[in-house]
Amino acid sequence: MVDKNVYFFGNGKADGHGKMKDLLGGKGAGLAEMTNSGVAVPAGFTITTEVCDSFYKNNKTLSAQLDAEVNANIKNLEATMGMKFGDAVNPLLVSVRSGARESMPGMMDTVLNLGINDQVVEALIRKTNNPRFAWDSYRRFIQMFSDVAMDVSKHLFEEALTEAKHALAEKTGRDKKEVKDTDLSADDLKQLVNIYKSIYKIAKGEEFPQDPMTQLWASIKAVFNSWNNERAIVYRQKYQIKGLLGTAVNVQAMVFGNMGDSSATGVCFSRNPANGENMFYGEFLINAQGEDVVAGIRTPQKISLESSKEWAQSNGVEESERVAKFPSLEELMPEAYAALIAYKVSLETHYRDMQDMEFTIQEGKLYMLQTRNAKRTGFAAIKCAVDMFKEGNLSEAEAVGRVNADQLNEVLRPIFDRKDKVKAASEGRSIAKGLNAGPGAACGQVYFSAADCVEAVEKRKEDVILVRIETTPEDIKGMIVAKGILTALGGATSHAAVVARQLGTVCVAGCGKIHVDYAKKEMSVGDKVIKQGEFLSIDGFTGEVIIGRIKTIPSEILQVLIEKTLPESESELYQEYALLMSWADKIRTLTIRTNADQPDQAEIARLFGAEGIGLCRTEHMFFGGDRIKAVREMILASDTAGRQKALDKLLPMQIEDFFGIFEAMQGFPVTIRLLDPPLHEFLPHQDAEVSELAKELNVSFEVLKAKVNSLHEFNPMLGHRGCRLGITYPEIYDMQFRAIILAAIKIKKNGKDIVPEIMIPLVGDVKEYTILRDNAVTIIKDELAKANVTMDYKIGTMIEVPRAALTSGAIASEAEFFSFGTNDLTQMTCGFSRDDSGSFLGEYVEKGIYDEDPFQVLDQVGVGALMRLSIKDGKAARPDLKIGICGEHGGEPKTVIFCHEIGLNYVSCSPFRVPIARLAAAHAVLKNK
Amino acid sequence: MVDKNVYFFGNGKADGHGKMKDLLGGKGAGLAEMTNSGVAVPAGFTITTEVCDSFYKNNKTLSAQLDAEVNANIKNLEATMGMKFGDAVNPLLVSVRSGARESMPGMMDTVLNLGINDQVVEALIRKTNNPRFAWDSYRRFIQMFSDVAMDVSKHLFEEALTEAKHALAEKTGRDKKEVKDTDLSADDLKQLVNIYKSIYKIAKGEEFPQDPMTQLWASIKAVFNSWNNERAIVYRQKYQIKGLLGTAVNVQAMVFGNMGDSSATGVCFSRNPANGENMFYGEFLINAQGEDVVAGIRTPQKISLESSKEWAQSNGVEESERVAKFPSLEELMPEAYAALIAYKVSLETHYRDMQDMEFTIQEGKLYMLQTRNAKRTGFAAIKCAVDMFKEGNLSEAEAVGRVNADQLNEVLRPIFDRKDKVKAASEGRSIAKGLNAGPGAACGQVYFSAADCVEAVEKRKEDVILVRIETTPEDIKGMIVAKGILTALGGATSHAAVVARQLGTVCVAGCGKIHVDYAKKEMSVGDKVIKQGEFLSIDGFTGEVIIGRIKTIPSEILQVLIEKTLPESESELYQEYALLMSWADKIRTLTIRTNADQPDQAEIARLFGAEGIGLCRTEHMFFGGDRIKAVREMILASDTAGRQKALDKLLPMQIEDFFGIFEAMQGFPVTIRLLDPPLHEFLPHQDAEVSELAKELNVSFEVLKAKVNSLHEFNPMLGHRGCRLGITYPEIYDMQFRAIILAAIKIKKNGKDIVPEIMIPLVGDVKEYTILRDNAVTIIKDELAKANVTMDYKIGTMIEVPRAALTSGAIASEAEFFSFGTNDLTQMTCGFSRDDSGSFLGEYVEKGIYDEDPFQVLDQVGVGALMRLSIKDGKAARPDLKIGICGEHGGEPKTVIFCHEIGLNYVSCSPFRVPIARLAAAHAVLKNK
């Protein structure tokens, strides 16, 4: 028998403390911590988890000792609150809640408003002057208590409620379906209480218990019983919650903000969650319950005088009217206000973070109901973290830890003017919502083909939005010039989304509601038709598609960093961003590289802090200028000689490509991936396009069409691509090997340093690698000898086919580096085509089969297991193996942390994700300290 | 210093023996073994691998001891052969060959005819009466010795040879290019020998060595040197040959079958390799060299008198002519014949297998040059194994080990009449060759659509060959009725190949040379056009496509077993087959199941010995009768209610399907896989077909086309299929769960036993499994309760997504059995689409990247590693987990052996592969004993 079964909290002091989660449960420990930190939470007490354990061990009985302890604690609670259980003047009501060590939301039972009875309800009416509220509380309590504690089916009560509404409908001549709970008057509810009580009596054979202690004991037992209800058991199995004694029971005084004009309720933030300014921010309502503040029926008032005045000014409210109708809490209840301000400071200091607080003032006394770290925008997160460091409340590392890496996105993207957007919505111009695939705001004239986009931009200097059913590499020129990309199909890692993120272009993808008609050059949503050349705005933060123009503003950080239109000294945001990133860089150990195919992308990535290129995709280069012609010539060649002729045309262009990239990266390592996509991606597929190309190439339509058909694949993802092209058409890769080394030689001859890294894609067996590696070495040695230059270079491989991961030992004994291509590795490991899985992945995430879309957040359980295996075998074969990741996941914070934990050397991501990866890499170190 | 460096063999006795491969090399040990077993191999001696090692350790010098030993052995050799090195009357010539422990064919050097010189050549002329042969041998020896032993470039000799031919051309007025080596006369060659000798003299500054011992020592050193030539080093690296001392050197007397009419050469088999009959079988030529027998210039004679007479009869040769021109060896050289017969028996007894022998008779004395286990047909393999058991030369297990499992195929398939096929080829009717995807011979009228096939069979009772560019599930009705299937695209596991093997239908797939024109209803190869209704014959053993009819004969075993048209007692082949299979069944521990979707397939599989169904694909059922209509109705339904309505129609049909299967399997376990393919496979895709279906279903073309488009997938393999359908449309699987249990209840009520096994496809995460398992259990419990029946059932999953293999622990803790779906597992693990990989897999196998097509023979290195991992984790979580395989690999012998070794409980394969799997499973036990 333990000495103490019940832990009191209240009046600034708790028997327990925040670390006693095993004994008091999560909620009980939290209430104790808040109380101890001086926060006036409504007082109460926690019955320990040990009692739950002993309850089950003793055939569901409770001890006499517990009886005595609970009685003593109720006395203490009454004294602390200045109220009494069942009192006719100042009645104490309590909530009875479960709370195990691990949170199991909604799985166990709760009883609210316990202590209410026929006498107390009258007292409540007197105190609140709100009979409707009082009777409704009583009604709800009867139903909840009967259901939870006494096993009376709640359906019986719900039927009675429905009958009452039907009666009201008949009486008022309204349609039955239209009558709502809120239409019932105080009298209606009073009548309903009587009916409820008789339902109870019929079910249980006795009167509804009026004694609060009877109510309390029944509820405590009910909570203990609910520990082993079916839902809770299933939940614990599902989330593998094991080794718990049971649940604690928290009995806490209820407080009411609707007990007259000296009562109030409100929500507040310790700083502005939108921009991070250190300004107290919040709203309240006099004589109201919590839900009234957010319900929008009454206009909430501002808490501080300053913000109240500001509000009045921007809403055109005269000062006299403001004082009369919308005074601040500061004016109305200066004491409560002062207490709140004090809490704001002490809670921020205690939790060392911006707080989001709920409070209730009951008859002049302030109670804090809840405080938690505030959700905030990226802007606010940065400012708050830097300010709190400057205020001396956070260390650099802690400040870094306070900013969610993903939120950096927000501060880098162009944004819509908020008011303009609200206006558009009110005009019904917000017509659809897709996937927020490329953050930012874009507005422009709509075009439905890459060529039309290019023409509009080049000839008419228009801002354009490219709208496609889906995009392919052929659309790249249009995507480059477009302000925004909108597609009807495709997910977060569809071609459109991937390219958009890399380009930093706004993108809304997979917007299923839009119907695109290429022939008519128009799109439609329902009966709304948008024709080519009309304006459209797309919000890459939210996925919204809006007809017409919305004003956009470029990100301040970009103005400083990239566009250089704003001096650093004039942007506080930039200075804060730069400071925060400098701290992150000091902490992190992962190198951050970028995925970039063009010198300008590489330059931007450098400005964002990239330390090299982890993935330079060479296929994108094949679409530039007139190259596609030579590429097509190569594909259509019927023999090696013909292919070689076309490749000879491409060689000087590829040398220039690589030279540009090497130069932009200023000596940082550059990993170049050889040609990866299947050749049919470089040919048109529609008859009209084929016909046009046939004319251009001076071959017959039939010949070209036959070639296109012969290259068709049922599952191109798993087809003739990557190093398989290099094996079957060695001359293609040979050209690329030669271009890489010749570009590097040129850099070297210009007196600069470069270590080119050649990456062979889609390797599944070490022999594929060695065949191609040997070809590369022969060419490189040849060119270096010819140029009389010596140079270090590396040859390595992507690990993107499961078989490569499974045979990593053999591969690592030959390859100098690994780079996980987690896009393809995810596709093949999970068996999900990223282009097709949209039709079911949503439901998969909804049903909890996957926690998140595995194309957005790396699947650590499956794909991650394969990566661990690969790293283990790879490092065993070559201890100094350099390992990175260059899939789209490389810029996703959770994945960055995972990559740090499994021992990668670097992550590589699109340029605009580099700062995010830098921050996440710092978080990884902090998390694993 | 070791005592003995040289091991003699000859005269029925060898110093070494067959197990001394480390010391004597593979070839040396083999020669010793043959000699010891009484075979008259030409005598010789082996210099050990230790000498090679010491050669390298002593700066490429050889010891005086070796000198003495070689001299002694040469003396011994001369005595044994009755010939002398350099002798003017009876000269001894030898070969000098390398031979390491592991065979490295062609990597090291060989010298033949060593011992020839100016004097010996004259002796040879006298003995052979063939000056041309003698001078040509001398010429060849000079070139070979100079190149191999003396480092004189062979190009010098080749140029001289070319010049000699040009001179002859000029002299005879012929075109230079037309003159061949064989046109050179003895005199020409004699002149050439003089030129060769002067080339040597110029290169080396000394005369060509006439002393045979000088020639010998140079050649021995050359062989040792060749151990470390670049080719040999690369070869050892490539095949990871490690831990060898070096190569041995074999010096062996050369024998000549062209030393006049008392000499001969020939090849023979100890039994008939075509049918296994225990009848001596072989051919020879008098006064000839080995290559003359196979060159086809002279007609080889039969060895035994009996076969000689048979040959004469069937070739219309009079007995007098036969005796004069084509006498048997038995008549000509009765002593040598008797010795050969004796060898035939003793070698079969020694090697305990049918032998394929090469022999030479030199001046009346028989020498065996080589004997090896004979390659034979499946028919011969079975007969020979059973006969040798009956003869007491093999145990049951050994007999089982003698039959290649894959060869069973041959004895089960219908076959073409051989003569008819030869005739067709001579008429130029053999027009193309594809992949031998479905063994057997088929002949019929050509149709290009399933519907046309069905019509031709049903209305006109024709035998038909279905020709398609590729097949899809829509073609199933046509595939069922066709005698043979021919496709232009697709590999060994394409839809056509898989279905054909399962149906036991002949199939030639991926025949790229044929061009199919659906519109014109014709196919063509070059300018040969075959129109609908014309006859075509396809040979599934060889992949040949032949215009017109070739007579086919059904397999004897099928006639007995399935067709029951031939009594068991009348088929020796069947009796032998059955006996052999009964032995295999006693040995094997793996259970063999079958993949079958229809009761008739199940019945056939039972007759072949299947012990259950490992994979019943339910989708094939959806194409039968009018079901496809209901299936399409379901797919086109816009809501759950609509789908349910269509499913209600399918339910009774599915119950009948499963009932039929259960009944056919007579109580053996039946594993039913739920619907697997993506829904679009059930809809037409061509506009014309869509239009027709739209009319049939009474919906507009646009609506249907839109639905078809919306279901389109870029990579259907990785798309919305398998259990993903079950998750998003639970009502489909629910119907199947219900149909399975209702069918099982019906069986049970008929008083029979059944344990249905429900298999969930394409699981990648345990939660997919548990959601569907829970749905199944609810329905099964419900139906069992309603029927008041109790019944065991199992629910398990396929392991075919890499992620499932990687998370097998979690899955096994829920699933009762695993079945590896190695088709999909191979596709995803290797990243190969089986429909598309044809464009490069051939080259991959050619280049040795994969040893074999991983869709035909399981990739043990990659996919196998994943399977091992899965089994380990699965069994750790559930020690009694039952594990099988049901991919196409389940009937492939190497894979069956692998499955045995990694601990599977069963393999499941198509019905016609069941005997093969039974035999391979026995081999697995024998191999691991």
Side-chain angles (χ1 to χ4, degrees), chain B residues 655-843:
Chain B
I655 295 173
E656 279 318 298
D657 290 334
F658 297 140
F659 180 76
I661 293 264
F662 289 157
E663 255 203 341
M665 286 316 286
Q666 309 158 5
F668 282 100
V670 174
T671 306
I672 295 171
R673 181 179 73 181
L674 304 173
L675 188 70
D676 186 54
L679 296 182
H680 54 72
E681 283 201 7
F682 298 97
L683 295 179
H685 294 90
Q686 302 298 323
D687 278 358
E689 295 166 299
V690 170
S691 173
E692 200 174 309
L693 180 63
K695 268 181 220 148
E696 203 177 298
L697 295 174
N698 206 16
V699 295
S700 78
F701 170 81
E702 287 71 26
V703 165
L704 185 56
K705 184 73 185 172
K707 185 74 190 183
V708 168
N709 287 344
S710 78
L711 288 174
H712 169 261
E713 293 184 314
F714 296 99
N715 295 287
M717 233 304 292
L718 306 175
H720 196 167
R721 50 175 284 245
C723 72
R724 297 161 193 178
L725 292 171
I727 295 284
T728 54
Y729 306 115
E731 55 280 4
I732 300 179
Y733 275 19
D734 285 353
M735 181 278 283
Q736 295 199 302
F737 294 142
R738 202 174 298 279
I740 292 166
I741 197 65
L742 286 175
I745 288 170
K746 198 168 155 190
I747 289 283
K748 191 98 179 185
K749 288 199 167 165
N750 285 1
K752 290 178 196 157
D753 261 346
I754 180 70
V755 180
E757 302 181 343
I758 298 176
M759 184 156 72
I760 300 177
L762 215 71
V763 162
D765 187 281
V766 64
K767 295 190 209 83
E768 291 170 299
Y769 176 81
T770 51
I771 288 171
L772 295 168
R773 192 262 325 268
D774 292 348
N775 291 354
V777 168
T778 304
I779 287 168
I780 290 170
K781 279 189 179 164
D782 177 44
E783 293 295 348
L784 287 176
K786 272 198 236 163
N788 198 21
V789 163
T790 59
M791 186 185 295
D792 284 339
Y793 59 89
K794 284 198 162 66
I795 306 180
T797 181
M798 296 200 58
I799 301 290
E800 53 186 336
V801 175
R803 196 179 190 276
L806 291 163
T807 59
S808 283
I811 295 175
S813 68
E814 300 287 341
E816 292 175 274
F817 63 87
F818 277 7
S819 180
F820 286 106
T822 48
N823 291 358
D824 277 357
L825 195 59
T826 298
Q827 295 198 79
M828 296 186 218
T829 303
C830 300
F832 292 152
S833 158
R834 69 179 188 190
D835 296 316
D836 304 312
S837 53
S839 60
F840 56 88
L841 257 190
E843 207 161 329

Side-chain angles (χ1 to χ4, degrees), chain B residues 419-678:
Chain B
K419 280 188 208 153
D420 216 26
K421 211 172 121 183
V422 170
K423 182 166 164 279
S426 72
E427 293 165 0
R429 284 159 48 205
S430 183
I431 51 168
K433 203 165 176 183
L435 196 74
N436 50 349
C443 171
Q445 287 168 269
V446 168
Y447 290 94
F448 300 95
S449 79
D452 289 340
C453 278
V454 170
E455 197 191 325
V457 172
E458 288 182 357
K459 293 205 180 151
R460 301 187 297 276
K461 309 291 173 204
E462 293 175 4
D463 284 348
V464 302
I465 305 284
L466 173 64
V467 180
R468 300 284 297 169
I469 295 171
E470 25 122 28
T471 64
T472 69
E474 288 181 69
D475 298 322
I476 192 79
K477 284 186 190 175
M479 298 172 84
I480 288 171
V481 302
K483 292 287 170 202
I485 299 160
L486 170 63
T487 65
L489 299 177
T493 56
S494 61
H495 179 263
V498 170
V499 173
R501 275 202 294 275
Q502 181 154 334
L503 294 171
T505 301
V506 177
C507 178
V508 172
C511 185
K513 265 174 86 179
I514 69 166
H515 178 260
V516 180
D517 189 329
Y518 289 140
K520 291 191 185 162
K521 297 198 172 182
E522 63 180 42
M523 60 176 269
S524 56
V525 176
D527 55 358
K528 288 194 169 128
V529 177
I530 298 104
K531 292 190 179 299
Q532 171 172 308
E534 292 182 359
F535 277 91
L536 197 70
S537 299
I538 60 175
D539 190 329
F541 292 120
T542 61
E544 284 164 287
V545 178
I546 303 155
I547 294 183
R549 300 191 206 198
I550 307 284
K551 197 179 151 198
T552 63
I553 315 161
S555 135
E556 232 178 88
I557 290 175
L558 285 188
Q559 288 177 47
V560 175
L561 203 59
I562 315 288
E563 302 189 8
K564 321 258 190 213
T565 51
L566 181 68
E568 203 176 308
S569 58
E570 283 179 27
S571 170
E572 211 176 297
L573 176 62
Y574 176 78
Q575 291 167 33
E576 288 161 353
Y577 158 85
L579 189 59
L580 190 82
M581 295 311 292
S582 74
W583 297 337
D585 288 345
K586 277 194 269 181
I587 295 166
R588 73 183 160 91
T589 56
L590 263 180
T591 298
I592 313 298
R593 296 196 189 184
T594 192
N595 301 348
D597 316 335
Q598 307 286 353
D600 56 343
Q601 291 171 9
E603 273 162 31
I604 290 174
R606 280 286 307 128
L607 292 169
F608 278 137
E611 300 153 309
I613 290 181
L615 175 63
C616 173
R617 300 181 179 93
T618 53
E619 53 270 23
H620 288 173
M621 298 169 176
F622 280 22
F623 285 95
D626 282 345
R627 289 153 193 222
I628 187 67
K629 267 196 195 174
V631 173
R632 287 168 169 173
E633 217 180 290
M634 171 193 81
I635 295 169
L636 298 171
S638 54
D639 56 13
T640 309
R643 269 195 300 281
Q644 192 57 59
K645 205 176 131 201
L647 287 165
D648 288 346
K649 290 186 198 167
L650 284 168
L651 178 65
M653 305 180 200
Q654 282 261 287
I655 295 173
E656 279 318 298
D657 290 334
F658 297 140
F659 180 76
I661 293 264
F662 289 157
E663 255 203 341
M665 286 316 286
Q666 309 158 5
F668 282 100
V670 174
T671 306
I672 295 171
R673 181 179 73 181
L674 304 173
L675 188 70
D676 186 54

